[in-house]
Amino acid sequence: QKALAPWEVTPGQARALGVLSRHGPVRLGTLSEHLRIAPRSATEVADALEMRGLVERRADPTDRRATLIALTPRGEEVTTAIRAARGAEAEEFFARLDADDRAALARILDALLDQSSG
């Protein structure tokens, strides 16, 4: 969470920015599914990010009645900066381990990921 402090973004908001960065503009329902939160909560997250100028609502070109949530250029900058800060934080955290311990941890995490996706 230290990585989020400079941008005054909550962890939930950071996750929403990450979803939009990976998937592009999405409907609120899709955003709530990715975040595993209620649609009403996704609306609150989107509203807060929109007030900060990090996302914008757009008409869905495939359905005029629907709205998409999309990153603004500022939202893209903040998302990139958060990702870099988190990466640096993780690098600092894992630097405490020697190369053998890092390799062992990578094997363990790979095994866990394989089990959860299978």
Side-chain angles (χ1 to χ4, degrees):
Q1 288 189 7
K2 280 192 314 186
L4 303 178
W7 298 279
E8 298 177 355
V9 173
T10 68
Q13 291 169 350
R15 287 178 52 227
L17 293 172
V19 167
L20 295 172
S21 177
R22 284 187 302 281
H23 299 283
V26 297
R27 292 183 183 183
L28 272 170
T30 303
L31 181 62
S32 71
E33 289 170 13
H34 281 287
L35 297 176
R36 294 186 171 97
I37 60 175
R40 188 179 92 237
S41 297
T43 299
E44 292 170 3
V45 169
D47 288 347
L49 291 171
E50 186 176 33
M51 285 184 1
R52 307 248 340 272
L54 301 178
V55 302
E56 63 187 6
R57 284 176 164 80
R58 298 179 183 166
D60 184 336
T62 63
D63 181 352
R64 291 186 320 203
R65 297 166 298 167
T67 301
L68 299 176
I69 303 298
L71 289 175
T72 62
R74 175 72 181 140
E76 290 175 16
E77 290 172 14
V78 168
T79 303
T80 300
I82 288 170
R83 190 174 291 127
R86 281 183 164 169
E89 200 173 66
E91 186 66 34
E92 181 182 321
F93 181 77
F94 291 111
R96 302 173 200 165
L97 300 175
D98 65 27
D100 289 340
D101 288 342
R102 273 184 272 180
L105 179 58
R107 282 191 307 275
I108 292 166
L109 292 174
D110 282 343
L112 291 172
L113 289 172
D114 286 346
Q115 289 176 3
S116 70
S117 64

